[in-house]
Short mmCIF file of all heavy atoms in Angstrom, two decimals:
data_model
loop_
_atom_site.label_atom_id
_atom_site.label_comp_id
_atom_site.label_asym_id
_atom_site.label_seq_id
_atom_site.Cartn_x
_atom_site.Cartn_y
_atom_site.Cartn_z
N PHE A 1 -17.69 12.27 -11.69
CA PHE A 1 -18.38 11.37 -10.61
C PHE A 1 -18.47 12.14 -9.34
O PHE A 1 -17.65 12.97 -8.94
CB PHE A 1 -17.39 10.24 -10.40
CG PHE A 1 -17.36 9.22 -11.55
CD1 PHE A 1 -16.47 9.31 -12.57
CD2 PHE A 1 -18.38 8.20 -11.67
CE1 PHE A 1 -16.34 8.45 -13.66
CE2 PHE A 1 -18.36 7.36 -12.78
CZ PHE A 1 -17.40 7.45 -13.79
N SER A 2 -19.50 11.83 -8.57
CA SER A 2 -19.58 12.20 -7.15
C SER A 2 -18.63 11.37 -6.41
O SER A 2 -18.40 10.16 -6.80
CB SER A 2 -21.00 12.06 -6.61
OG SER A 2 -21.99 12.78 -7.40
N SER A 3 -18.14 11.87 -5.27
CA SER A 3 -17.16 11.17 -4.45
C SER A 3 -17.89 9.95 -3.85
O SER A 3 -18.92 10.01 -3.15
CB SER A 3 -16.56 12.00 -3.37
OG SER A 3 -17.53 12.74 -2.82
N ASN A 4 -17.29 8.72 -4.00
CA ASN A 4 -17.78 7.48 -3.54
C ASN A 4 -16.90 6.96 -2.55
O ASN A 4 -16.07 6.01 -2.91
CB ASN A 4 -18.00 6.51 -4.78
CG ASN A 4 -18.68 5.21 -4.33
OD1 ASN A 4 -18.91 4.92 -3.17
ND2 ASN A 4 -19.18 4.52 -5.44
N PHE A 5 -16.88 7.49 -1.36
CA PHE A 5 -15.89 7.06 -0.35
C PHE A 5 -15.95 5.62 0.18
O PHE A 5 -15.00 5.09 0.69
CB PHE A 5 -15.85 8.04 0.83
CG PHE A 5 -15.49 9.48 0.45
CD1 PHE A 5 -16.27 10.56 0.45
CD2 PHE A 5 -14.19 9.64 -0.05
CE1 PHE A 5 -15.81 11.80 0.19
CE2 PHE A 5 -13.69 10.91 -0.42
CZ PHE A 5 -14.61 12.07 -0.33
N ALA A 6 -17.23 5.11 0.06
CA ALA A 6 -17.36 3.68 0.46
C ALA A 6 -16.57 2.84 -0.48
O ALA A 6 -15.78 1.85 -0.12
CB ALA A 6 -18.81 3.29 0.41
N LEU A 7 -16.54 3.09 -1.79
CA LEU A 7 -15.78 2.28 -2.78
C LEU A 7 -14.36 2.62 -2.52
O LEU A 7 -13.47 1.68 -2.61
CB LEU A 7 -16.26 2.71 -4.25
CG LEU A 7 -15.41 2.12 -5.31
CD1 LEU A 7 -15.58 0.62 -5.34
CD2 LEU A 7 -15.81 2.75 -6.63
N TYR A 8 -13.91 3.86 -2.42
CA TYR A 8 -12.51 4.18 -2.24
C TYR A 8 -11.85 3.62 -1.03
O TYR A 8 -10.76 3.12 -1.05
CB TYR A 8 -12.24 5.71 -2.24
CG TYR A 8 -13.00 6.56 -3.32
CD1 TYR A 8 -13.42 7.77 -3.26
CD2 TYR A 8 -13.27 5.93 -4.64
CE1 TYR A 8 -14.03 8.48 -4.23
CE2 TYR A 8 -13.94 6.58 -5.73
CZ TYR A 8 -14.37 7.85 -5.56
OH TYR A 8 -14.94 8.54 -6.44
N GLY A 9 -12.66 3.65 0.04
CA GLY A 9 -12.17 3.16 1.35
C GLY A 9 -11.92 1.53 1.23
O GLY A 9 -10.88 1.06 1.75
N ASP A 10 -12.79 0.93 0.58
CA ASP A 10 -12.77 -0.53 0.40
C ASP A 10 -11.50 -1.00 -0.40
O ASP A 10 -10.77 -1.85 -0.09
CB ASP A 10 -13.99 -1.10 -0.08
CG ASP A 10 -13.97 -2.74 -0.06
OD1 ASP A 10 -13.93 -3.28 1.01
OD2 ASP A 10 -13.92 -3.30 -1.22
N LEU A 11 -11.33 -0.35 -1.59
CA LEU A 11 -10.27 -0.57 -2.45
C LEU A 11 -8.99 -0.25 -1.77
O LEU A 11 -7.98 -0.86 -2.11
CB LEU A 11 -10.44 0.13 -3.78
CG LEU A 11 -11.56 -0.47 -4.69
CD1 LEU A 11 -11.75 0.38 -5.96
CD2 LEU A 11 -11.25 -1.85 -5.14
N SER A 12 -8.97 0.80 -0.98
CA SER A 12 -7.73 1.16 -0.24
C SER A 12 -7.21 0.08 0.67
O SER A 12 -6.13 -0.38 0.71
CB SER A 12 -7.95 2.49 0.47
OG SER A 12 -6.77 2.70 1.41
N LYS A 13 -8.33 -0.56 1.32
CA LYS A 13 -7.98 -1.72 2.32
C LYS A 13 -7.36 -2.88 1.58
O LYS A 13 -6.55 -3.52 2.12
CB LYS A 13 -9.27 -2.01 3.05
CG LYS A 13 -9.80 -1.04 4.10
CD LYS A 13 -11.01 -1.55 4.77
CE LYS A 13 -11.61 -0.48 5.69
NZ LYS A 13 -12.90 -0.90 6.30
N ARG A 14 -7.87 -3.04 0.38
CA ARG A 14 -7.45 -4.21 -0.42
C ARG A 14 -5.93 -3.98 -0.79
O ARG A 14 -5.21 -4.98 -0.85
CB ARG A 14 -8.34 -4.43 -1.64
CG ARG A 14 -9.69 -4.89 -1.21
CD ARG A 14 -10.77 -4.82 -2.38
NE ARG A 14 -12.17 -5.06 -1.94
CZ ARG A 14 -12.78 -6.22 -2.29
NH1 ARG A 14 -12.38 -7.08 -3.10
NH2 ARG A 14 -13.88 -6.29 -1.79
N VAL A 15 -5.66 -2.77 -1.26
CA VAL A 15 -4.39 -2.40 -1.65
C VAL A 15 -3.36 -2.62 -0.47
O VAL A 15 -2.29 -3.29 -0.46
CB VAL A 15 -4.13 -0.99 -2.24
CG1 VAL A 15 -2.78 -0.62 -2.45
CG2 VAL A 15 -4.95 -0.92 -3.62
N MET A 16 -3.85 -1.96 0.68
CA MET A 16 -2.92 -2.04 1.89
C MET A 16 -2.74 -3.47 2.43
O MET A 16 -1.64 -3.79 2.92
CB MET A 16 -3.50 -1.13 3.03
CG MET A 16 -3.66 0.29 2.61
SD MET A 16 -2.03 1.04 2.15
CE MET A 16 -2.57 2.51 1.22
N THR A 17 -3.77 -4.33 2.30
CA THR A 17 -3.63 -5.69 2.68
C THR A 17 -2.55 -6.50 1.94
O THR A 17 -1.74 -7.23 2.35
CB THR A 17 -4.85 -6.51 2.49
OG1 THR A 17 -5.87 -5.92 3.35
CG2 THR A 17 -4.90 -7.97 2.93
N ILE A 18 -2.47 -6.19 0.56
CA ILE A 18 -1.49 -6.68 -0.28
C ILE A 18 -0.03 -6.27 0.11
O ILE A 18 0.85 -7.05 0.29
CB ILE A 18 -1.68 -6.32 -1.78
CG1 ILE A 18 -2.87 -7.01 -2.26
CG2 ILE A 18 -0.53 -6.78 -2.58
CD1 ILE A 18 -3.33 -6.53 -3.62
N LEU A 19 0.08 -4.96 0.38
CA LEU A 19 1.35 -4.35 0.82
C LEU A 19 1.83 -4.93 2.08
O LEU A 19 3.01 -5.17 2.26
CB LEU A 19 1.19 -2.85 0.84
CG LEU A 19 0.81 -2.07 -0.44
CD1 LEU A 19 0.84 -0.53 -0.13
CD2 LEU A 19 1.68 -2.44 -1.56
N GLN A 20 0.84 -5.19 3.02
CA GLN A 20 1.31 -5.71 4.35
C GLN A 20 1.91 -7.16 4.28
O GLN A 20 2.59 -7.48 5.15
CB GLN A 20 0.10 -5.71 5.30
CG GLN A 20 -0.35 -4.34 5.77
CD GLN A 20 -1.67 -4.31 6.43
OE1 GLN A 20 -2.47 -5.18 6.25
NE2 GLN A 20 -1.93 -3.33 7.37
N GLY A 21 1.57 -7.86 3.14
CA GLY A 21 2.20 -9.18 2.98
C GLY A 21 3.49 -9.16 2.22
O GLY A 21 4.09 -10.19 2.01
N GLU A 22 3.95 -7.96 1.84
CA GLU A 22 5.13 -7.84 1.08
C GLU A 22 6.32 -7.29 1.77
O GLU A 22 7.48 -7.16 1.24
CB GLU A 22 4.87 -7.00 -0.19
CG GLU A 22 3.81 -7.61 -1.12
CD GLU A 22 4.26 -8.91 -1.74
OE1 GLU A 22 5.41 -9.13 -2.13
OE2 GLU A 22 3.36 -9.90 -1.81
N ALA A 23 6.19 -6.84 2.92
CA ALA A 23 7.30 -6.29 3.78
C ALA A 23 7.18 -6.45 5.17
O ALA A 23 6.02 -6.67 5.74
CB ALA A 23 7.32 -4.75 3.44
N PRO A 24 8.29 -6.58 5.93
CA PRO A 24 8.22 -6.87 7.41
C PRO A 24 7.56 -5.77 8.23
O PRO A 24 7.07 -5.98 9.27
CB PRO A 24 9.68 -7.14 7.84
CG PRO A 24 10.43 -6.29 6.73
CD PRO A 24 9.62 -6.49 5.51
N GLN A 25 7.60 -4.56 7.72
CA GLN A 25 7.07 -3.40 8.33
C GLN A 25 6.46 -2.45 7.36
O GLN A 25 6.97 -2.20 6.25
CB GLN A 25 8.10 -2.63 9.19
CG GLN A 25 7.59 -1.57 10.21
CD GLN A 25 8.61 -0.91 10.95
OE1 GLN A 25 9.75 -1.25 10.94
NE2 GLN A 25 8.15 0.05 11.84
N ILE A 26 5.24 -1.85 7.78
CA ILE A 26 4.60 -0.93 6.79
C ILE A 26 3.90 0.13 7.62
O ILE A 26 3.48 -0.07 8.76
CB ILE A 26 3.51 -1.71 5.96
CG1 ILE A 26 2.74 -0.67 5.15
CG2 ILE A 26 2.59 -2.55 6.96
CD1 ILE A 26 1.80 -1.44 4.21
N GLU A 27 3.99 1.37 7.02
CA GLU A 27 3.21 2.48 7.68
C GLU A 27 2.25 2.99 6.71
O GLU A 27 2.66 3.52 5.58
CB GLU A 27 4.28 3.65 7.97
CG GLU A 27 3.49 4.97 8.50
CD GLU A 27 4.41 6.19 8.70
OE1 GLU A 27 5.67 5.91 8.68
OE2 GLU A 27 3.95 7.27 8.61
N ILE A 28 0.96 2.79 6.98
CA ILE A 28 -0.11 3.30 6.09
C ILE A 28 -0.15 4.77 6.30
O ILE A 28 -0.66 5.29 7.42
CB ILE A 28 -1.42 2.56 6.46
CG1 ILE A 28 -1.25 1.02 6.06
CG2 ILE A 28 -2.55 3.14 5.48
CD1 ILE A 28 -2.49 0.29 6.42
N TYR A 29 0.22 5.58 5.38
CA TYR A 29 0.38 7.04 5.58
C TYR A 29 -0.97 7.77 5.26
O TYR A 29 -1.21 8.84 5.81
CB TYR A 29 1.55 7.45 4.69
CG TYR A 29 1.79 9.09 4.88
CD1 TYR A 29 2.26 9.47 6.06
CD2 TYR A 29 1.57 9.96 3.80
CE1 TYR A 29 2.56 10.86 6.17
CE2 TYR A 29 1.76 11.25 3.97
CZ TYR A 29 2.31 11.82 5.18
OH TYR A 29 2.49 13.10 5.34
N SER A 30 -1.69 7.23 4.25
CA SER A 30 -2.92 7.93 3.90
C SER A 30 -3.77 6.85 3.19
O SER A 30 -3.36 5.74 3.05
CB SER A 30 -2.68 9.19 2.98
OG SER A 30 -2.32 8.77 1.71
N ILE A 31 -4.98 7.34 2.72
CA ILE A 31 -5.85 6.27 2.09
C ILE A 31 -5.12 5.69 0.83
O ILE A 31 -5.51 4.68 0.39
CB ILE A 31 -7.13 7.06 1.69
CG1 ILE A 31 -8.22 5.94 1.24
CG2 ILE A 31 -6.95 8.05 0.63
CD1 ILE A 31 -9.58 6.53 0.99
N ASP A 32 -4.19 6.39 0.19
CA ASP A 32 -3.56 5.87 -1.02
C ASP A 32 -2.12 5.83 -1.03
O ASP A 32 -1.43 5.68 -2.13
CB ASP A 32 -4.06 6.72 -2.32
CG ASP A 32 -3.62 8.16 -2.07
OD1 ASP A 32 -3.09 8.58 -1.15
OD2 ASP A 32 -3.71 8.92 -3.21
N GLU A 33 -1.46 5.94 0.15
CA GLU A 33 -0.03 5.89 0.31
C GLU A 33 0.42 5.05 1.48
O GLU A 33 -0.28 5.06 2.51
CB GLU A 33 0.60 7.31 0.55
CG GLU A 33 0.48 8.19 -0.63
CD GLU A 33 1.03 9.55 -0.20
OE1 GLU A 33 0.44 10.42 0.54
OE2 GLU A 33 2.25 9.91 -0.45
N ALA A 34 1.57 4.35 1.35
CA ALA A 34 2.12 3.51 2.33
C ALA A 34 3.70 3.50 2.25
O ALA A 34 4.18 3.42 1.13
CB ALA A 34 1.50 2.12 2.50
N PHE A 35 4.39 3.60 3.39
CA PHE A 35 5.79 3.42 3.43
C PHE A 35 6.02 1.95 3.70
O PHE A 35 5.42 1.38 4.77
CB PHE A 35 6.42 4.30 4.40
CG PHE A 35 6.45 5.76 4.03
CD1 PHE A 35 5.53 6.57 4.72
CD2 PHE A 35 7.35 6.18 3.19
CE1 PHE A 35 5.50 7.99 4.35
CE2 PHE A 35 7.33 7.64 2.80
CZ PHE A 35 6.44 8.52 3.42
N LEU A 36 7.11 1.24 3.06
CA LEU A 36 7.33 -0.18 3.31
C LEU A 36 8.85 -0.21 3.60
O LEU A 36 9.74 0.50 3.08
CB LEU A 36 7.11 -1.01 2.12
CG LEU A 36 5.66 -1.47 1.96
CD1 LEU A 36 4.72 -0.30 1.47
CD2 LEU A 36 5.58 -2.56 0.82
N ASP A 37 9.27 -1.08 4.64
CA ASP A 37 10.59 -1.42 4.89
C ASP A 37 11.21 -2.40 3.98
O ASP A 37 10.78 -3.58 4.03
CB ASP A 37 10.77 -1.80 6.34
CG ASP A 37 12.14 -2.03 6.85
OD1 ASP A 37 13.05 -1.78 5.94
OD2 ASP A 37 12.41 -2.47 7.95
N PHE A 38 12.09 -2.01 3.05
CA PHE A 38 12.72 -2.91 2.15
C PHE A 38 14.03 -3.43 2.50
O PHE A 38 14.87 -4.00 1.85
CB PHE A 38 12.78 -2.27 0.79
CG PHE A 38 11.70 -2.62 -0.20
CD1 PHE A 38 10.43 -2.78 0.30
CD2 PHE A 38 11.87 -2.74 -1.47
CE1 PHE A 38 9.30 -3.01 -0.52
CE2 PHE A 38 10.80 -3.14 -2.41
CZ PHE A 38 9.44 -3.21 -1.85
N THR A 39 14.36 -3.26 3.89
CA THR A 39 15.68 -3.79 4.51
C THR A 39 15.76 -5.28 4.18
O THR A 39 14.81 -6.00 4.59
CB THR A 39 15.79 -3.38 5.93
OG1 THR A 39 15.64 -2.03 6.14
CG2 THR A 39 17.16 -3.79 6.42
N GLY A 40 16.96 -5.69 3.74
CA GLY A 40 17.17 -7.13 3.54
C GLY A 40 16.77 -7.72 2.29
O GLY A 40 17.12 -8.75 1.86
N ILE A 41 16.02 -6.83 1.44
CA ILE A 41 15.58 -7.36 0.11
C ILE A 41 16.87 -7.16 -0.84
O ILE A 41 17.32 -6.05 -0.96
CB ILE A 41 14.39 -6.60 -0.35
CG1 ILE A 41 13.19 -6.97 0.54
CG2 ILE A 41 14.14 -7.04 -1.78
CD1 ILE A 41 11.88 -6.18 0.34
N ILE A 42 17.24 -8.20 -1.49
CA ILE A 42 18.38 -8.12 -2.31
C ILE A 42 18.13 -7.27 -3.58
O ILE A 42 18.83 -6.31 -3.84
CB ILE A 42 18.94 -9.49 -2.68
CG1 ILE A 42 19.27 -10.27 -1.41
CG2 ILE A 42 20.15 -9.44 -3.69
CD1 ILE A 42 19.65 -11.74 -1.62
N ASP A 43 17.28 -7.72 -4.43
CA ASP A 43 17.02 -6.99 -5.68
C ASP A 43 15.71 -6.16 -5.41
O ASP A 43 14.63 -6.45 -5.67
CB ASP A 43 16.67 -8.00 -6.80
CG ASP A 43 16.69 -7.34 -8.16
OD1 ASP A 43 16.46 -6.02 -8.16
OD2 ASP A 43 16.85 -8.02 -9.17
N LYS A 44 15.91 -4.96 -4.93
CA LYS A 44 14.89 -4.07 -4.43
C LYS A 44 14.06 -3.59 -5.63
O LYS A 44 12.86 -3.45 -5.54
CB LYS A 44 15.34 -2.86 -3.68
CG LYS A 44 16.11 -3.27 -2.40
CD LYS A 44 16.68 -2.15 -1.78
CE LYS A 44 17.23 -2.57 -0.28
NZ LYS A 44 18.18 -3.66 -0.41
N LYS A 45 14.69 -3.28 -6.76
CA LYS A 45 13.98 -2.80 -7.97
C LYS A 45 12.95 -3.86 -8.52
O LYS A 45 11.77 -3.56 -8.84
CB LYS A 45 14.87 -2.28 -9.07
CG LYS A 45 14.10 -1.69 -10.20
CD LYS A 45 15.12 -1.06 -11.23
CE LYS A 45 14.25 -0.30 -12.30
NZ LYS A 45 15.22 0.25 -13.22
N LYS A 46 13.52 -5.12 -8.68
CA LYS A 46 12.70 -6.22 -9.04
C LYS A 46 11.48 -6.48 -8.12
O LYS A 46 10.33 -6.68 -8.60
CB LYS A 46 13.45 -7.52 -9.22
CG LYS A 46 12.68 -8.66 -9.74
CD LYS A 46 13.50 -9.89 -9.82
CE LYS A 46 12.71 -11.19 -10.50
NZ LYS A 46 11.51 -11.44 -9.62
N GLN A 47 11.76 -6.40 -6.76
CA GLN A 47 10.71 -6.59 -5.94
C GLN A 47 9.55 -5.49 -6.01
O GLN A 47 8.32 -5.72 -5.88
CB GLN A 47 11.31 -6.50 -4.41
CG GLN A 47 10.25 -6.61 -3.29
CD GLN A 47 9.78 -8.07 -3.11
OE1 GLN A 47 10.24 -8.92 -3.78
NE2 GLN A 47 8.79 -8.21 -2.13
N ALA A 48 10.09 -4.29 -6.27
CA ALA A 48 9.11 -3.16 -6.44
C ALA A 48 8.33 -3.33 -7.68
O ALA A 48 7.10 -3.09 -7.73
CB ALA A 48 9.88 -1.96 -6.45
#
């Protein structure tokens, strides 16, 4: 495939929107990576 950055960028936004609703703080590190603050979550593995 040729690179389709319009598609990749839009799907990235959709993923990041979901992640933003799952943690009190988030750092979007790149188009496909994000750090989330899991402080206070009891069963961290289940949440993940």
